[in-house]
Structures are given as C-alpha cells and as structure tokens.
C-alpha cells in the first residue's frame, strides 16, 4: 500500500515538474524578441564562417556577406526585409543576394529587425486612436475599410517626429510584441502599431545601417540599399529628412513600402518625392494593401514634384519565388546600368 502511495506521489510530482517546465519555457519564449530569435537561428544553423557578427549598440547581430565574384567590385548592396520578416521567407528580397555577386556586387544580407519595444522602452500615454488592421487572402484584391482608416487619421497626433514622443510610461515587451505580426504581402495581417513604435523602429534601423556601413567601410564602390515594407518606408523617411548617415547611400531600391497608419501612409508619396538620390520602386500584385493605396500616387507625386531620377517597375507574374528573384536581380542590374555604374 505504501509503495502504491509513493508511486502515485512520484507520478504527480513528475507531472507537476513537466507542466511547470512547459509554462516557464513558454514565458521565456514570449520574452525573447524577434531579432534575438533570428540571430539565434542564424548562429545555431550556420557554420561560424558563414556569417559575421557586428556590434549594434550593446548587441551582436549576424549579417551574411557574399563577396563579388568579379575582379573589380562595383560596390556594396545592403539588403534588408520588412519588419518581423523571417530570413528564409519566399518573398524576402534577401534571396537576390544569390545572383548579385556574379554581377560584381558584394551583398550584405541584414536580417530583419523586430518591430517591438525593448525592455527599457516605454509607450506614449494612451489616446483615443482606434486599432487598424488588414486581413487579406493570398489572392484577394486589396481592400481597405475607409471607416477604420479615417478614424485612425483623425486621432493620430504626430508624424513620425521624435519630438512628439514625450510623455512615456513603462510597458512590458510581451504586450507590445503580441501586437505585431509578419507584414509584407496581402496574405498577412498588420496589427495595431503606434507612431511611438515606428519612431523607435526608425532609430533601431538607423543604428543597424550605421553599424553595417562601418563594418563594410573598406569595400570600395557604390552603396545601394534594398529594402521592403515598413523598413523601406522608414529608410525613405531617413533619406528624405537628410539624415547624415544616409548620405553614404547612392541609390534606394524599395519594394512594397508602407506604414500601417493611414495618416502616415498618405504622406509616403511626398516622402519618396523628396528623396534626393535615385529611387527604384518595385511593385507587384502581391504587395500589401497599404502599399497598393499609394502606388499610383507615388508615381504621380514624383512627377509633379520634379524628382529627378525615379522609376516604378511592376514585377508581373506569380508571387515572389526564386524565378522572380532572378528577374528582380536583372531589373536592378538594368537600373544600375541606367545610372551609368
């Protein structure tokens, strides 16, 4: 009888420990940022000589460098995907790094950053802004709810201006990271994102690019920056604002640029029109509906504002895959040839 009781107690204790371990593991997983998970994946899955660690603030971030396969390197092409975009995703433009070294370009693939607060970052005081989201099927035509958009536009109070982010209160990483999901094509969902988060994200992108350019400073040639989604819109704003760091960039290649806040997204065409360097704007049927809203306006605004060198090119056909990545590489090569490089 005593043995049965001991066995029952031991089984219960084992079950409790396993349950506790699962709970603790789940909590720990939620507290880890997207960027940390991406970095860990790269470090654990690749050989040490297949990536390079650079210091971005207090963190070591892996980047993937592919050297030019021609005797004279034409320059560097920095490639970064949308926020929260896994490196291996089919529609990530990081795949063009497989084709550009043969054309004489050294490529630097920069894993996407997570769009969320760090543990030492606060959020703005709550206001009446309503959540805005899009939820589209993989082959649906872009649709946007004007009622939700107008509510956001009326209640948003600042315009990606760091000065406007003043009164901050502490929040946990978990509550913010749960609001953000993958954001690139029409098959994904864009959850509520505040302007304060976009300001913080802009600062993180700037520090990331600065560290990468510093690491690659001994490589001669032109600097081309290829980006997607929210990252592309963020970089466009940095360049248009005359950020000193961005003066090192010779041309931008953007795909699917957008901000998931209507008021800010409506300003994107003017932002791109004010960029002083050449811009290649890649579009496709598979772009996010936010980007689709400004696609035509981006083209018109660059004409009416007399932007010197701008080209909008549609990538026709199926959703992005390896065949499309090869085609996009040729489009970028044609753009570079047009610039005379």
């Amino acid at each position: 009888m005593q043995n049965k009781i001991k066995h029952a107690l031991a089984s219960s204790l084992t079950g409790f420990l396993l349950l506790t371990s699962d709970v603790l593991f789940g909590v720990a997983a939620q507290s880890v940022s997207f960027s940390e998970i991406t970095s860990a994946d790269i470090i654990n899955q690749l050989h040490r000589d297949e990536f390079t660690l650079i210091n971005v603030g207090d963190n070591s971030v892996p980047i993937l460098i592919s050297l030019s396969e021609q005797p004279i390197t034409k320059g560097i092409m920095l490639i970064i995907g949308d926020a929260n975009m896994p490196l291996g995703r089919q529609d990530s433009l990081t795949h063009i790094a497989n084709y550009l070294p043969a054309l004489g370009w050294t490529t630097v693939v920069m894993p996407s950053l997570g769009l969320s607060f760090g543990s030492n970052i606060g959020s703005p005081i709550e206001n009446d802004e309503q959540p805005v989201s899009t939820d589209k099927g993989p082959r649906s035509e872009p649709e946007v709810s004007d009622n939700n958009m107008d509510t956001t536009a009326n209640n948003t109070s600042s315009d990606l201006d760091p000065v406007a982010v003043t009164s901050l209160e502490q929040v946990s990483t978990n509550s913010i990271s749960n609001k953000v999901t993958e954001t690139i094509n029409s098959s994904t969902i864009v959850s509520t994102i505040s302007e304060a988060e976009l300001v913080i994200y802009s600062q993180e992108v700037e520090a990331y690019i600065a560290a990468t350019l510093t690491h690659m400073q001994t490589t001669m040639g032109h600097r081309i920056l290829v980006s997607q989604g929210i990252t592309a819109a963020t970089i466009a704003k940095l360049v248009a604002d005359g950020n000193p760091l961005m003066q090192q960039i010779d041309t931008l290649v953007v795909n699917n640029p957008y901000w998931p806040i209507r008021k800010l997204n409506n300003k994107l065409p003017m932002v791109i029109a004010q960029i002083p360097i050449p811009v290649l704007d890649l579009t496709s049927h598979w772009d996010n509906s936010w980007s689709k809203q400004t696609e035509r306006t981006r083209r018109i605004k660059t004409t009416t504002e007399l932007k010197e060198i701008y080209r909008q090119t549609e990538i026709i056909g199926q959703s992005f895959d390896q065949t499309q990545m090869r085609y996009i590489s040729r489009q970028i090569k044609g753009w570079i040839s047009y610039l005379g490089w």
Side-chain angles (χ1 to χ4, degrees):
M1 183 67 178
Q2 290 180 345
N3 289 336
K4 291 182 178 180
I5 293 174
K6 290 180 180 180
H7 180 71
L9 289 174
S11 299
S12 299
L13 180 60
T14 301
F16 174 76
L17 291 175
L18 290 174
L19 176 62
T20 303
S21 299
D22 290 340
V23 171
L24 291 175
F25 178 79
V27 171
Q30 288 180 358
S31 65
V32 177
S33 70
F34 173 85
S35 300
E36 291 172 326
I37 294 174
T38 300
S39 296
D41 285 344
I42 292 174
I43 292 172
N44 292 332
Q45 296 181 21
L46 298 180
H47 296 291
R48 182 61 187 84
D49 58 356
E50 292 181 302
F51 63 88
T52 301
L53 290 174
I54 61 173
N55 293 323
V56 181
D58 297 330
N59 301 317
S60 292
V61 179
I63 57 175
L64 309 179
I65 303 175
S66 298
L67 299 178
S68 167
E69 298 174 7
Q70 293 188 5
I72 300 178
T73 302
K74 295 179 180 178
I76 302 170
M77 204 166 295
L78 309 180
I79 310 168
I80 179 171
D82 196 358
N84 294 7
M85 188 177 204
L87 195 62
R89 247 178 67 169
Q90 176 175 290
D91 52 358
S92 172
L93 285 187
T94 55
H95 294 297
I96 65 175
N98 298 329
Y99 309 103
L100 294 169
L103 303 177
W105 291 90
T106 291
T107 61
V108 181
V109 172
M110 304 165 62
S112 299
L113 296 176
L115 181 50
S116 62
F117 284 146
S119 58
N120 61 336
I121 302 299
S123 67
I125 293 177
E126 294 294 331
N127 55 32
D128 295 330
E129 180 172 334
Q130 299 296 319
V132 178
S133 64
T134 57
D135 187 359
K136 305 289 178 277
R139 292 182 178 272
S140 62
E141 292 297 329
E143 295 181 1
V144 180
S145 173
D146 291 336
N147 293 333
N148 289 342
M149 297 298 187
D150 291 340
T151 302
T152 302
N154 292 334
N155 294 328
T156 304
S157 59
S158 61
D159 181 19
L160 275 184
D161 184 358
V163 177
V165 187
T166 52
S167 301
L168 301 180
E169 61 183 13
Q170 191 69 26
V171 295
S172 66
T173 303
N174 293 347
S175 63
I176 300 299
S177 60
N178 289 339
K179 291 164 43 179
V180 183
T181 55
E182 294 178 12
T183 53
I184 179 66
N185 61 29
S186 57
S187 65
T188 58
I189 302 171
V190 178
S191 298
T192 304
I193 298 177
S194 71
E195 292 187 51
E197 290 175 274
L198 294 177
V199 170
I200 298 300
Y201 184 70
S202 177
Q203 295 169 351
E204 292 175 346
V205 168
E206 181 182 355
Y208 194 15
I209 295 173
T212 305
L213 288 174
T214 298
H215 182 80
M216 301 299 297
Q217 62 185 347
T218 58
T219 303
M220 305 300 291
H222 295 285
R223 266 69 174 150
I224 298 176
L225 188 48
V226 182
S227 56
Q228 293 175 278
I230 296 175
T231 308
T234 299
I235 290 172
K237 184 73 163 62
L238 288 171
V239 178
D241 287 346
N243 186 289
L245 170 68
M246 295 301 170
Q247 293 178 7
Q248 300 181 49
I249 305 300
D250 297 305
T251 186
L252 290 182
V253 178
V254 298
N255 165 241
N256 188 35
Y258 69 95
W259 281 308
I261 298 176
R262 183 176 175 83
K263 174 187 160 183
L264 300 182
N265 203 50
N266 286 344
K267 294 179 182 293
L268 186 57
M270 179 58 77
V271 168
I272 291 180
Q274 293 174 339
I275 293 176
I277 60 177
V279 176
L280 175 61
D281 186 351
L282 301 174
T283 68
S284 79
H285 170 74
W286 308 98
D287 287 350
N288 187 284
S289 60
W290 288 100
S291 181
K292 282 291 186 184
Q293 291 176 51
T294 66
E295 180 180 307
R296 181 171 179 271
T297 312
R298 297 198 303 267
R299 184 174 66 252
I300 294 173
K301 187 62 69 173
T302 54
T303 300
T304 59
E305 294 297 319
L306 304 178
K307 174 166 175 51
E308 292 187 4
I309 305 178
Y310 172 85
R311 176 187 295 175
Q312 189 176 93
T313 300
E314 182 179 6
I315 307 301
I316 301 173
Q318 71 271 25
S319 60
F320 287 177
D321 56 14
Q322 291 302 315
T323 300
Q324 290 285 52
M325 292 300 163
R326 188 179 295 108
Y327 176 72
I328 292 172
S329 299
R330 292 198 296 268
Q331 290 292 322
I332 294 176
K333 177 186 177 183
W335 172 248
I336 294 169
S337 299
Y338 170 76
L339 296 176
W341 301 346

